[in-house]
C-alpha cells in the first residue's frame, strides 16, 4: 500500500519499521519538529525522523496542520504534498499534532491510528501510564479509524495484554509497541482484501488518560501502599516519583507492598536494611527497593543506604 506515516516517539518508530520491513511504500513521514534535549539542550530529531532518514523516506515536520492557523501556509504545503502522493491510507501513531478533517479525508481508506489501550478505556495522551496507575490487570492495543474526536473512532482490531506485577511503563511500552506493529500489518491486509469490519465504541465506557504532569510525581504516603506502588511503576521512566526526606528530593524507582505495621503513621520510616526501606502508608506500608538521590545514580536500597543515612523520622 501507499502510506503516509505520522508519528514521533519510539513507540511510533517501531510501527514504521514494521511497515518498511513488510514492503509497504511509505511516500512521506510526518513527525514533530526537532526539540532541544540532553545536557547541552541541542536539537534532537525524533525517533521516527531518525528511522525515516536512515531509510531514505521524505520527512515533513510542520509545527501545525491547521490550514487557517498561524502556520497555515506551511500546513497547506504539507496537505498538497500528501494529495500528490495519493496515499491509500495514513497510519498515525503518537504523532502529537491534531489532524484536521481535510487531512483525515485525504487517503483512500482514511487514517488508521495505533492506540495503546483497549478503547474506549484510556483515550488520550498517556494510556500506558494511566492503566498501570489505576491498577488495571490488562490493557492492549486498538487499531482505530480516526475521526475528529479524540480517540473516538470505530475500532478495527483490538488485542489484550496482561499487565504483570513487575511491569513499569517502560516494559509495558515495549510490549505494546511490538503488538501494535503486528496489528497494523493485519489491519492493512484487511483493508486490501476489503474484509475490514469496524466496531463503534461504547461512549458510556470511555475513560480519559490525561497527559502526565511532573507535579503528579510526588509520592503521598497518605495514599494506600497499593496506590503508591502502582504510581511508582506508572511513572518509570518518566517523570519518576519523588519523596522528600529532610527536604532532600529522593526519586523512588521501585517499591512493593510490605504489609501492615499497626500504629505506624503515614510517611514514618519503619525499618532500614539491605532488603529495603519500609515506610508506613495510610493503608499497609511500602518497601522501597530502588532509589536515587539528586545528582546520583539509580541504586538498589542495599547500595543506597551505604552512602545515605535514614535516621528515625518520616518522609514528608
Amino acid at each position: 500500500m501507499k502510506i503516509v506515516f505520522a508519528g514521533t516517539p519510539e513507540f511510533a518508530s517501531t510501527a514504521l519499521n514494521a511497515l518498511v520491513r513488510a514492503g509497504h511504500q511509505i511516500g512521506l513521514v510526518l513527525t514533530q519538529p526537532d526539540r532541544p534535549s540532553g545536557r547541552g539542550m541541542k536539537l534532537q530529531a525524533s525517533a521516527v525522523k531518525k528511522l525515516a532518514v536512515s531509510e531514505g523516506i521524505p520527512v515533513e515536520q510542520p509545527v501545525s496542520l491547521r490550514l487557517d492557523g498561524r502556520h497555515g501556509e506551511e500546513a497547506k504545503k504539507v496537505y498538497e504534498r500528501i494529495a500528490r502522493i495519493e496515499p491509500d491510507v495514513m497510519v498515525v501513531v503518537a504523532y502529537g499534532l491534531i489532524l484536521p478533517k481535510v487531512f483525515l479525508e485525504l487517503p483512500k481508506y482514511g487514517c488508521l491510528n495505533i492506540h495503546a489501550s483497549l478503547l474506549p478505556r484510556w483515550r488520550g495522551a498517556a494510556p500506558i501510564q494511566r492503566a498501570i496507575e489505576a491498577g488495571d490487570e490488562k490493557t492492549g492495543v486498538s487499531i482505530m479509524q480516526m475521526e475528529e474526536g479524540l480517540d473516538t473512532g470505530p475500532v478495527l482490531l483490538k488485542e489484550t495484554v496482561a499487565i504483570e506485577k513487575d511491569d513499569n511503563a517502560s516494559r509495558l511500552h515495549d510490549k505494546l509497541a511490538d503488538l501494535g506493529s503486528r496489528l497494523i500489518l493485519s489491519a492493512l491486509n484487511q483493508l486490501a482484501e476489503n474484509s475490514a469490519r469496524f466496531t463503534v465504541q461504547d461512549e458510556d465506557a470511555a475513560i480519559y488518560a490525561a497527559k502526565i504532569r511532573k507535579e503528579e510525581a510526588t509520592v503521598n504516603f497518605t495514599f494506600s501502599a497499593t496506590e503508591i506502588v502502582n504510581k511508582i511503576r506508572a511513572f518509570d521512566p518518566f517523570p519518576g516519583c519523588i519523596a522528600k526526606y529532610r527536604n532532600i528530593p529522593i526519586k523512588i524507582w521501585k517499591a512493593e507492598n510490605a504489609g501492615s505495621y499497626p500504629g505506624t503513621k503515614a510517611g514514618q520510616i519503619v525499618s532500614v536494611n539491605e532488603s529495603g526501606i519500609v515506610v508506613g502508608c495510610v493503608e499497609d506500608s511500602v518497601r522501597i527497593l530502588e532509589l536515587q538521590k539528586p545528582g546520583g545514580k539509580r541504586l538498589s536500597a542495599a547500595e543506597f543506604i551505604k552512602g545515605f543515612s535514614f535516621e528515625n523520622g518520616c518522609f514528608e
Side-chain angles (χ1 to χ4, degrees):
M1 281 194 165
K2 285 191 295 184
I3 296 172
V4 170
F5 185 91
T8 299
E10 200 70 42
F11 189 91
S13 69
T14 304
L16 177 58
N17 185 58
L19 294 170
V20 171
R21 301 283 85 80
H24 289 285
Q25 180 185 342
I26 314 299
L28 181 66
V29 161
L30 305 181
T31 191
Q32 289 267 2
D34 296 358
R35 307 287 190 199
S37 180
R39 289 189 176 182
M41 293 302 287
K42 295 180 180 179
L43 288 178
Q44 299 289 331
S46 71
V48 164
K49 180 181 177 179
K50 290 176 183 176
L51 177 59
V53 170
S54 72
E55 295 290 340
I57 303 170
V59 175
E60 290 280 2
Q61 296 177 271
V63 175
S64 169
L65 291 175
R66 286 186 56 183
L67 300 179
D68 59 349
R70 176 180 165 192
H71 302 280
E73 288 303 314
E74 180 188 32
K76 287 175 185 176
K77 290 178 181 178
V78 174
Y79 177 87
E80 291 166 359
R81 186 170 187 180
I82 295 173
R84 288 195 298 271
I85 294 170
E86 297 183 340
D88 294 309
V89 66
M90 185 185 295
V91 175
V92 183
V93 195
Y95 177 32
L97 290 185
I98 294 173
L99 272 68
K101 186 178 180 181
V102 289
F103 281 88
L104 297 176
E105 294 175 344
L106 259 181
K108 178 181 177 181
Y109 295 109
C111 300
L112 292 184
N113 176 244
I114 303 175
H115 188 75
S117 82
L118 298 174
L119 290 171
R121 187 171 180 83
W122 303 125
R123 293 174 177 174
I128 296 174
Q129 294 92 333
R130 297 306 182 189
I132 297 173
E133 185 183 23
D136 290 0
E137 295 182 352
K138 64 181 181 179
T139 186
V141 169
S142 302
I143 306 297
M144 173 196 69
Q145 181 86 57
M146 293 182 70
E147 55 184 31
E148 289 186 275
L150 178 64
D151 300 330
T152 58
V155 175
L156 173 57
L157 291 173
K158 187 187 297 187
E159 191 166 318
T160 299
V161 168
I163 301 178
E164 306 294 341
K165 289 185 178 180
D166 62 346
D167 277 340
N168 58 19
S170 178
R171 281 193 287 271
L172 189 55
H173 166 282
D174 292 349
K175 292 181 187 178
L176 296 178
D178 290 341
L179 175 57
S181 299
R182 179 166 57 81
L183 285 187
I184 192 60
L185 296 180
S186 297
L188 294 177
N189 287 338
Q190 289 189 18
L191 289 180
E193 296 167 358
N194 199 31
S195 61
R197 300 293 180 268
F198 292 86
T199 302
V200 175
Q201 294 187 42
D202 178 4
E203 288 297 319
D204 292 336
I207 299 177
Y208 180 62
K211 184 178 180 180
I212 300 295
R213 295 174 292 109
K214 286 187 177 181
E215 308 90 83
E216 297 180 75
T218 301
V219 174
N220 187 342
F221 291 100
T222 62
F223 284 76
S224 73
T226 297
E227 290 172 311
I228 291 171
V229 170
N230 287 343
K231 186 170 187 174
I232 291 168
R233 293 164 56 216
F235 285 30
D236 180 2
F238 177 84
C241 282
I242 292 176
K244 285 189 175 182
Y245 178 78
R246 298 188 182 275
N247 213 33
I248 301 172
I250 297 174
K251 282 202 171 183
I252 301 177
W253 290 112
K254 189 174 182 181
E256 63 184 11
N257 192 318
S260 177
Y261 285 80
T264 302
K265 297 178 182 179
Q268 180 182 342
I269 296 174
V270 177
S271 65
V272 178
N273 54 51
E274 290 187 353
S275 66
I277 298 106
V278 177
V279 184
C281 307
V282 73
E283 180 183 312
D284 290 337
S285 61
V286 294
R287 179 177 291 106
I288 301 171
L289 304 172
E290 290 184 12
L291 311 85
Q292 181 180 0
K293 62 183 178 182
K297 296 179 180 179
R298 179 169 172 167
L299 299 172
S300 68
E303 288 296 317
F304 190 89
I305 61 177
K306 289 178 181 179
F308 191 97
S309 176
F310 287 101
E311 301 172 8
N312 292 335
C314 293
F315 277 96
E316 297 173 22

